[in-house]
Amino acid sequence: MSSDPLLQPYQLKHLTLKNRLMITSHEPAYPEDGMPKDRYRAYHVERAREGVALTMTAGSASVARDSPPVFNNILAWKDEVVGWMKELTDACHEHDCAVMIQLTHLGRRTRWDKADWLPVVSSSHEREASHKAFPKKAEDWDIARIIEDYADAAERMKAAGLDGIELQAYGHLMDQFWSPLTNDLDGPYGGSLENRLRFTFDTLKAIRARVGDEFIVGVRYTGDEDLPGGITREEGLEISQRLKDSGMVDFLNVVKGHIDTDAGLTDVIPVQGMRSAPHLDFAGEIRAATKFPTFHAAKIQDVATARHAIAEGKLDMVGMTRAHMADPHIVAKIMRGEEERIRPCVGANYCLDRIYQGGMALCLHNPSTGRELEVPHEIAKADASRRVVIVGAGPAGLEAARVAAERGHEVIVHEAANDPGGQVRLTAQSKRRHEMIQLIQWRFAECERLGVSFRFNSYADADTIRAEQPDVVVIATGGLPHTEVLDAGDDLVVSSWDILSGDARPGSNVLIYDDAGDYAALQAAETLAASGAKVEVMTRDRNFSSEVMAMSLTPSLRELQARDVTFTVLWKLTGVAKDGNGLVASVGSDYGAFTRERQVDQVVVNHGTRPLDDIYFDMREDATNQGEVDYEALIAGQPQTVTRNPCGAFQLFRIGDAVAARNTHAAIYDALRLMRTV
Ligand SMILES: Cc1cc2nc3c(=O)[nH]c(=O)nc-3n(C[C@H](O)[C@H](O)[C@H](O)COP(=O)(O)O)c2cc1C
Ligand code: SF4
C-alpha cells in the first residue's frame, strides 16, 4: 500500500473514504429544470471514476421555495430530486466514491424577483450588498416552516442513497442567524450566541428525527467572518465546539471570511495572484481545538500543498475543487506516478464567475469540463496518422498540437517568437496574472512528451508551410492590437499591449480608452498606476471592464483603487490632438451631442485585436476545403469532410483570435473540438 498521506483511507463514522481528496460543494449551474440530469451526472462520474474519495454535490441546493436559486441550483424541495440524485449517487458508488450534498436556505442571499416571487427572508432587514434584496424579518411561522423544509430535503437525500449531507452556514440563512450583523430578532432566535444558534440546532434536531443517527450530517460554516461586528474567531471556535458537542454533527467543513460582497467572496475563495491556501492554518486550528473531523478547501491547487495539509494534521479531508475542474484525473495521476502531468488550475476563476455572468461553469483551461458527454476528456486515437502543420504556439496552437499528437498524428509547429505562449505570455508578465503561464507550460510539456516538433523563430509563410507537405494545416497566429478607432489622431495613441510589453514608456497623466472591456486595459492601468502615473480608465459602456467578471476583478480593483485610478463610464474617445508637449483628448457620448476634453500626456486605446490571417488567405485556394468549416459536424463531434477544391493538397483551418478576437477559453475550445476529429 502507498505511504502517500493523501492516499490513506479515512474513517468517517461507518463510512470509509478511500483517500483524503474531496471535491467540495460547488454548483456549476448545470441542472436542467432544477434537477441533476445527464450532464450533471457525467461531470461527477468523470471525477468519481478517476479516484476522488468524496464528491459533495450541488452547492446551495435549495430546501425551500422562498430560497430561489440565483444561479441555477438543484431544487432539493422537489420530490423528483430523489430519482435524479439516486442515479447520480449509484453511478458514483460504482467507482467507490462517496456522495453527499450541500443543502441550504439562502436567506437574503437571493432575490425576490426569481421563481415564485416570494419575499426574501432573513433574521434582519439588512440588505446583502451582492444580491441587493431587502429581506422580510423571519416570523415564528417562517422559522418553523423552514426547519421542516430542511428536514424534508434531508430525508429526500437519504432516500436517494446518498452517504450524507452538509448544511451551508456562510453567508446563507443559517449563519445570518448566527451573525450579530444580520440578526436583530427578539425572542428565542436573537440576542445571545445561544439564541442565534438556536435555529441551527432546531434544524439539526428536525433532520436527525428524520434521518436517524447513522446518516452523516456536517456543517460548512464560517469560523470567523473577518468583519467588524461579525462572528469573531473566538466566537467561531465556540460555535465549532458547540456543533461538535451537540452530538448531531459528524464533520466540520471550515470557511473563513464573509461573502456578502464580491471582494469578501474573493477572499474566501481566492483567485489568481492571491495567496495559496490562505485559510489552511485557520482550519487546522479548529481541528486542533475540537479534535473533530475537519474538511476545508480554499485555493489548495497543487498536490504538494494538499499532501502537506494531511501530513501536518491540519485537515482530515482536503478539498481540491477547482483543481478537479481543471483536471478531473488528479487522483488517478497521483496513483500512476504521473503527478507532474496534472493539468494545473491557474486560478483564473472563469468557472465560478461564469455561474453568475455566463449561466454555467466552464474551465478556462479545460473545455471538456462540463462538456463530458459531447467533448470527452480522453482523446481517441485516429485511424490513420496524418502530417499536421500548425502555425502559432499560443494557447490555440498548442492545444491543437497536443490534441493532434494525442490522436497519433505527426505534428509540426512553427512559431515566430523564440518561446511558446503568444498573448498569454504578455498577460503573464503581470505578477498578479503570472499563473496564466501554466496554461502554456502544461500544454508545451504535453506536446514534448508526445513528440511534437517545434520550429521556433520561424516566420513561416505559405511556401514554408507547403514545403512541409502537410495533410492538415492549422492557422493559430492570433491577432494584433487594433487602435485605429478615432476620427483623428490614431497615430498619437499607443495600445495596451505597448504598455504591457514595455514598448511604450508610461506617461504621467494617462487616459485609457477601453472599448474591449477585457483584462488588457486593466493590466495596462495597473502597470501605469504602479509607475506613478495619474490614470483614468474610460469606456462608452454602462459598466467598466464588462468582460472581466466579478471575482476576477477584485485583485485588480484593489490595486487600482489604492492608487486612485478613476473609472469613467458612458464617454467615448473620439479624437486626439497635440497640445504643446501634451495631448488633448476629445470625448463624446452615445447619449447625445455632448463633448468634453481631457488634457493628458498619453492616450492608450484598448480595442481588442484584429486577426493575423495573411497566411490563411494566401493558402486558402490550395486547400481541399478552402478554409470552410462544417459547423454542424464541428458541433456534433464529426470529422470535417468539406471538399470545395478536389485538387487541393491539404485541409486548412483557422482557430482562436486568428479568426476573431475572443478569449483564451474560446481559443482552446476551437482547437480541441476541431482536432479531436482530425
Ligand atoms: C462553480 C463554483 C460554484 C461554487 N458554489 C458553491 C456553493 O454553492 N456552496 C459552497 O459552499 N461553495 C461553493 N463553491 C466553493 C467551493 O466549494 C470551494 O470552496 C472553492 O472553490 C475553493 O476551493 P478550491 O480552491 O479548491 O476551488 C463554488 C465553487 C465553484 C468553483
Ligand atoms: S477556470 Fe481557472 S480557476 Fe476555474 S478551474 Fe479552470 S483553471 Fe481553475
Side-chain angles (χ1 to χ4, degrees):
M1 190 185 183
S2 164
S3 59
D4 187 341
L6 280 179
L7 299 182
Q8 304 311 308
Y10 180 65
Q11 196 63 35
L12 181 64
K13 252 173 149 173
H14 54 273
L15 181 68
T16 307
L17 297 168
K18 65 183 171 188
N19 60 53
R20 303 306 185 97
L21 283 169
M22 72 178 287
I23 295 174
T24 57
S25 179
H26 65 293
E27 180 48 73
Y30 301 154
E32 294 155 61
D33 309 319
M35 295 298 129
K37 298 190 180 176
D38 299 354
R39 177 188 196 186
Y40 211 103
R41 185 167 63 251
Y43 172 80
H44 282 281
V45 169
E46 180 79 30
R47 285 143 184 92
R49 195 188 61 233
E50 301 294 325
V52 75
L54 164 64
T55 188
M56 184 70 70
T57 57
S60 318
S62 167
V63 299
R65 295 190 82 132
D66 64 343
S67 172
V70 269
F71 53 84
N72 187 13
N73 304 72
I74 292 177
L75 302 178
W77 54 265
K78 287 192 169 181
D79 286 338
E80 66 176 289
V81 78
V82 175
W84 291 109
M85 282 307 298
K86 182 164 181 357
E87 270 194 62
L88 187 158
T89 304
D90 289 350
C92 290
H93 280 170
E94 276 181 29
H95 303 288
D96 195 19
C97 170
V99 180
M100 301 193 192
I101 191 170
Q102 180 181 78
L103 299 177
T104 202
H105 191 297
L106 291 158
R108 64 178 192 155
R109 193 172 167 76
T110 183
R111 294 186 58 88
W112 46 267
D113 56 356
K114 298 274 174 195
D116 297 309
W117 283 63
L118 294 171
V120 164
V121 67
S122 186
S123 35
S124 79
H125 289 302
E126 285 305 318
R127 183 181 99 137
E128 193 214 51
S130 277
H131 292 79
K132 301 185 172 56
F134 291 100
K136 80 166 270 198
K137 220 196 273 193
E139 297 174 65
D140 50 0
W141 57 268
D142 285 312
I143 294 173
R145 154 179 79 75
I146 294 169
I147 290 172
E148 283 307 296
D149 287 337
Y150 266 105
D152 289 344
E155 198 175 350
R156 287 185 194 102
M157 297 309 154
K158 189 178 177 196
L162 273 77
D163 298 287
I165 59 170
E166 79 174 7
L167 308 181
Q168 208 280 17
Y170 67 104
H172 292 195
L173 184 63
M174 203 155 261
D175 63 304
Q176 286 161 27
F177 273 81
W178 295 3
S179 173
L181 292 172
T182 48
N183 183 340
D184 57 14
L185 292 171
D186 300 322
Y189 293 98
S192 66
L193 179 63
E194 182 161 348
N195 281 357
R196 284 180 276 128
L197 290 175
R198 191 178 310 281
F199 171 61
T200 298
F201 288 121
D202 285 358
T203 302
L204 282 165
K205 270 182 221 144
I207 289 175
R208 281 289 174 212
R210 297 288 188 85
V211 299
D213 293 337
E214 285 305 296
F215 193 61
I216 292 174
V217 178
V219 182
R220 189 173 206 200
Y221 68 104
T222 179
D224 177 357
E225 272 192 296
D226 262 340
L227 262 184
I231 299 160
T232 60
R233 173 182 283 254
E234 291 68 36
E235 228 173 9
L237 271 175
E238 174 69 28
I239 292 170
S240 311
Q241 197 61 48
R242 288 189 190 209
L243 288 170
K244 173 188 174 185
D245 293 345
S246 74
M248 293 186 284
V249 172
D250 300 310
F251 67 85
L252 306 175
N253 190 350
V254 177
V255 167
K256 183 168 183 291
H258 59 99
I259 61 170
D260 54 330
T261 59
D262 291 343
L265 179 61
T266 314
D267 287 331
V268 169
I269 305 176
V271 302
Q272 199 165 78
M274 296 171 75
R275 206 149 64 83
S276 159
H279 311 311
L280 176 59
D281 289 342
F282 176 71
E285 283 167 32
I286 289 194
R287 181 176 187 266
T290 58
K291 301 187 176 45
F292 203 57
T294 303
F295 305 174
H296 171 70
K299 205 170 189 250
I300 300 175
Q301 285 157 297
D302 59 295
V303 171
T305 308
R307 190 171 283 128
H308 160 82
I310 297 297
E312 295 301 311
K314 291 180 189 291
L315 302 178
D316 296 293
M317 292 294 293
V318 192
M320 290 185 76
T321 303
R322 285 169 296 177
H324 271 90
M325 296 185 95
D327 191 336
H329 303 171
I330 292 178
V331 178
K333 285 179 181 168
I334 298 174
M335 292 176 75
R336 288 201 299 265
E338 292 179 352
E339 222 165 286
E340 75 295 341
R341 284 197 57 212
I342 292 172
R343 186 188 313 224
C345 168
V346 300
N349 215 49
Y350 194 60
C351 48
L352 184 42
D353 271 329
R354 263 191 62 94
I355 59 177
Y356 276 97
Q357 278 148 291
M360 72 180 80
L362 292 172
C363 173
L364 189 79
H365 196 351
N366 187 347
S368 293
T369 285
R371 298 187 179 110
E372 278 76 12
L373 294 175
E374 66 271 27
V375 191
H377 291 270
E378 301 290 356
I379 311 285
K381 283 265 179 271
D383 294 338
S385 173
R386 302 170 79 190
R387 194 166 158 85
V388 178
V389 176
I390 296 165
V391 190
L398 286 178
E399 178 71 354
R402 178 186 81 85
V403 178
E406 286 276 14
R407 301 228 346 112
H409 298 312
E410 183 191 356
V411 185
I412 298 153
V413 180
H414 287 263
E415 165 58 47
N418 55 2
D419 288 306
Q423 274 186 57
V424 172
R425 191 159 283 280
L426 204 56
T427 296
Q429 279 187 6
S430 305
K431 189 163 163 263
R432 198 176 59 68
R433 303 206 70 210
H434 187 65
E435 287 167 66
M436 290 292 280
I437 202 65
Q438 295 177 62
L439 292 174
I440 301 305
Q441 288 167 340
W442 180 79
R443 288 192 165 73
F444 189 58
E446 284 292 290
C447 285
E448 295 223 295
R449 180 181 68 81
L450 293 161
V452 172
S453 305
F454 284 91
R455 318 241 203 278
F456 288 110
N457 301 306
S458 165
Y459 288 89
D461 58 15
D463 288 338
T464 326
I465 306 304
R466 281 190 200 102
E468 300 274 16
Q469 299 194 309
D471 299 312
V472 181
V473 176
V474 180
I475 306 298
T477 37
L480 281 180
H482 176 65
T483 55
E484 291 168 11
V485 295
L486 306 180
D487 298 338
D490 281 335
D491 55 322
L492 298 175
V493 309
V494 299
S495 72
S496 35
W497 287 28
D498 291 330
I499 299 294
L500 292 179
S501 63
D503 287 350
R505 274 219 346 258
S508 57
N509 182 10
V510 186
L511 175 67
I512 300 180
Y513 179 55
D514 182 14
D515 210 13
D518 58 12
Y519 276 103
L522 282 175
Q523 288 187 252
E526 284 171 41
T527 307
L528 288 162
S531 76
K534 175 173 175 286
V535 181
E536 176 182 5
V537 181
M538 178 181 285
T539 173
R540 71 199 283 183
D541 298 339
R542 278 180 288 123
N543 298 316
F544 62 88
S545 301
S546 53
E547 301 298 308
V548 184
M549 297 179 280
M551 293 171 70
S552 302
L553 269 174
T554 297
S556 181
L557 293 186
R558 281 199 169 130
E559 258 181 60
L560 297 179
Q561 200 166 34
R563 296 185 198 276
D564 292 317
V565 169
T566 55
F567 289 87
T568 304
V569 295
L570 305 182
W571 291 96
K572 65 176 183 184
L573 183 68
T574 54
V576 179
K578 283 202 169 146
D579 183 25
N581 286 337
L583 299 170
V584 58
S586 307
V587 173
S589 162
D590 293 325
Y591 291 85
F594 319 121
T595 56
R596 301 284 186 273
E597 283 188 349
R598 297 284 197 276
Q599 304 290 330
V600 291
D601 65 4
Q602 187 172 54
V603 175
V604 179
V605 170
N606 185 56
H607 190 79
T609 60
R610 287 284 155 97
L612 257 173
D613 51 15
D614 296 353
I615 308 179
Y616 171 80
F617 284 105
D618 287 348
M619 302 192 74
R620 232 183 68 125
E621 297 313 310
D622 299 346
T624 48
N625 62 331
Q626 295 184 326
E628 182 175 332
V629 179
D630 176 347
Y631 283 163
E632 292 297 328
L634 183 78
I635 293 163
Q638 299 297 325
Q640 294 291 318
T641 54
V642 175
T643 306
R644 289 166 53 124
N645 170 14
C647 303
F650 49 83
Q651 282 185 301
L652 174 69
F653 300 106
R654 196 162 53 126
I655 56 174
D657 284 4
V659 183
R662 285 165 292 160
N663 68 11
T664 310
H665 182 84
I668 294 173
Y669 188 31
D670 269 7
L672 173 61
R673 65 175 165 173
L674 178 73
M675 298 313 287
R676 60 187 283 273
T677 61
V678 161

